[in-house]
Amino acid sequence: MRPFALEVFFSRWEFEATHHLTASDVESMSVHALLSLASPQERTAFEHTPLSYTQPWGDPHLCQAIAQTYDTLTQEHILCFAGAQEGIYTAMRTLLTKDDHAIVFVPNYQSAESLPLECCEVSGVALLEAQGWQPDMEALERAIRPNTKLISMNFPNNPTGAIISHENLAKLIALCRKHGIYLFSDEVYRLLELDERKRIPQIADVYEKGISLNVMSKAYGLPGLRIGWLASRDTHALAAFERYKHYLSICNSAPSEALALIALNHRTQILERNRALLAENIARLDTFFAQYPTLFAWNHPDGSCVAYPKYTGKGDVEALCQLLIQEYGVLLLPPSIYHSELLPTPNDHFRIGFGRKGIHAGLDMFGRCLEEKWLPLQG
Ligand SMILES: Cc1ncc(COP(=O)(O)O)c(C=O)c1O
């Protein structure tokens, strides 16, 4: 299989960098902090969790709690996984065969593209920077073939932070419905919209062949639980995914399921805390980028906790990212990480994250690197 460039890069640097300035999750919490939100009954239930195998679909109480985060779904529409990644892998491997065709947007989170490419022919459709990274809807329509089985989308998008407009989403669903295409929607950054009017519905609520992917990792800031799920009204597809999962994780970790249930029961509080942190951090990024108007074009993302600023100075932003990690301990994702096999991707954008506490220290170091080493080269 193709190496997953982002994970290869993270495996090298993520735990070595002093300042992780490109995290894709919100600041996490300890088991202790999460349990401090729990009622005495919830805490007791957690402490008595048997460390046995659990149900392959996911603990029924957890599936019910997840279903309640949708407008129209019930427990039977939810299948749990070990994180979002296992859900993407399972859905692509199960739905796509070599005679099928899939469409994905570019730039993307690499598994959205690489996994379909392992299974069948894939077309890329651009997210257009000049249109606030909206999908090229005309190209999308042209890309559809008689054997197109699946379109994969991810909004708020990694890396651009863009959200498809309500109008384009309606067009996309109409196209899928007309051609009987599955619409796989990676919604892991949902609930992190900076402007809530841009929030789009969860696809499983509004399209009968829609498959929604979500996880405790991003908006809830609990990636260590490794609890994700696929939600769909297509129960036949879910049943096929469950069979595939028998060859992967089989079932979730029991303590993780118990903790995820507690987190979902107290999600209002957790999301409030997380959104407040994002608001604070985005203001820090505004201040930082305003100091270097000749080096960066900074635009707020629509949502998520990552942004994709453009480098506008002299020289190569890939080299700047290398300098930052090697000499200043500051981790950003350089443009090469978002290279696509399907379409050209920008070589002047990099990914920065704003979900973690303490980004000010990383930004101070970033600024120091610019002042000491980079601005003198600008002439
Ligand atoms: C868009 C997107 N989908 C899925 C994932 C995978 O999530 P998890 O780590 O919870 O499996 C990520 C992680 O960065 C992501 O950015």
Side-chain angles (χ1 to χ4, degrees):
M1 283 180 70
R2 295 155 170 83
F4 193 151
L6 182 150
E7 294 300 341
V8 172
F9 190 76
F10 271 172
S11 158
R12 167 71 185 86
W13 291 112
E14 184 176 7
F15 294 95
E16 192 175 316
T18 317
H19 306 284
H20 189 351
L21 255 194
T22 190
S24 66
D25 52 5
V26 180
E27 183 74 21
S28 200
M29 57 206 299
S30 63
V31 174
H32 179 78
L34 180 56
L35 286 179
S36 71
L37 301 177
S39 66
Q41 292 86 342
E42 286 172 325
R43 189 183 268 264
T44 306
F46 170 66
E47 285 169 359
H48 290 89
T49 304
L51 293 174
S52 53
Y53 283 109
T54 63
Q55 301 195 29
W57 284 80
D59 170 63
H61 294 108
L62 177 63
C63 292
Q64 274 161 22
I66 292 170
Q68 279 164 15
T69 65
Y70 294 83
D71 292 335
T72 61
L73 305 188
T74 53
Q75 183 191 332
E76 62 177 348
H77 301 121
I78 307 297
L79 172 61
C80 289
F81 287 96
Q85 193 65 260
E86 192 187 41
I88 304 178
Y89 187 85
T90 301
M92 298 307 142
R93 286 287 190 196
T94 310
L95 290 176
L96 297 174
T97 64
K98 68 177 179 24
D99 297 328
D100 295 320
H101 170 247
I103 299 176
V104 305
F105 295 114
V106 177
N108 52 46
Y109 176 66
Q110 193 190 322
S111 63
E113 163 175 325
S114 293
L115 288 171
L117 273 169
E118 296 290 335
C119 305
C120 66
E121 274 193 55
V122 183
S123 302
V125 167
L127 299 177
L128 301 170
E129 183 176 8
Q131 292 175 25
W133 302 107
Q134 287 298 304
D136 182 339
M137 295 304 290
E138 284 171 18
L140 176 67
E141 206 162 342
R142 283 197 305 274
I144 293 174
R145 301 179 190 171
N147 63 339
T148 303
K149 183 137 186 221
L150 175 136
I151 298 177
S152 172
M153 68 176 193
N154 159 227
F155 300 107
N157 174 255
N158 178 357
T160 63
I163 301 178
I164 190 171
S165 66
H166 291 272
E167 190 190 347
N168 281 338
L169 179 64
K171 280 188 203 158
L172 176 53
I173 294 172
L175 277 173
C176 287
R177 190 168 272 137
K178 179 171 157 196
H179 297 278
I181 298 171
Y182 282 106
L183 184 49
F184 183 88
S185 178
D186 179 332
E187 297 163 359
V188 302
Y189 295 106
R190 196 167 179 276
L191 304 180
L192 296 182
E193 298 80 4
L194 295 182
D195 174 354
E196 289 187 13
R197 285 170 304 181
K198 293 191 175 172
R199 181 174 299 157
I200 54 170
Q202 302 182 97
I203 210 68
D205 274 327
V206 292
Y207 178 44
E208 56 287 356
K209 288 188 84 170
I211 301 165
S212 289
L213 173 77
N214 218 324
V215 76
M216 298 308 294
S217 305
K218 309 296 184 183
Y220 301 103
L222 300 169
L225 293 181
R226 309 310 297 137
I227 296 283
W229 59 90
L230 290 173
S232 181
R233 279 184 277 155
D234 186 334
T235 47
H236 291 293
L238 284 185
F241 300 159
E242 194 252 356
R243 296 251 168 141
Y244 199 89
K245 186 186 161 184
H246 296 168
Y247 283 106
L248 299 173
S249 61
I250 303 177
C251 66
N252 290 127
S253 137
S256 285
E257 289 194 325
L259 292 170
L261 181 58
I262 291 172
L264 285 174
N265 288 343
H266 299 273
R267 65 182 184 276
T268 310
Q269 240 174 304
I270 295 174
L271 290 169
E272 260 171 31
R273 158 207 182 260
N274 293 352
R275 289 197 200 106
L277 179 60
L278 294 191
E280 236 175 73
N281 281 346
I282 200 105
R284 287 200 167 99
L285 290 182
D286 288 344
T287 310
F288 177 82
F289 286 116
Q291 287 171 270
Y292 304 102
T294 58
L295 292 185
F296 304 106
W298 162 239
N299 288 312
H300 277 192
D302 294 328
S304 83
C305 52
V306 297
Y308 200 46
K310 181 173 179 163
Y311 177 71
T312 53
K314 287 186 193 155
D316 179 3
V317 71
E318 197 79 26
L320 174 59
C321 292
Q322 282 302 326
L323 177 68
L324 276 163
I325 186 60
Q326 277 164 3
E327 294 190 28
Y328 291 84
V330 174
L331 188 63
L332 294 172
L333 280 180
S336 55
I337 295 298
Y338 284 96
H339 169 80
S340 163
E341 288 181 44
L342 304 171
L343 288 177
T345 48
N347 59 10
D348 52 4
H349 284 261
F350 61 98
R351 188 182 97 179
I352 191 162
F354 57 98
R356 297 269 181 99
K357 277 189 186 155
I359 71 163
H360 57 279
L363 288 174
D364 286 350
M365 239 7 181
F366 191 173
R368 209 168 120 188
C369 168
L370 294 175
E371 304 289 341
E372 289 176 354
K373 296 266 169 80
W374 202 256
L375 284 169
L377 299 176
Q378 297 290 302

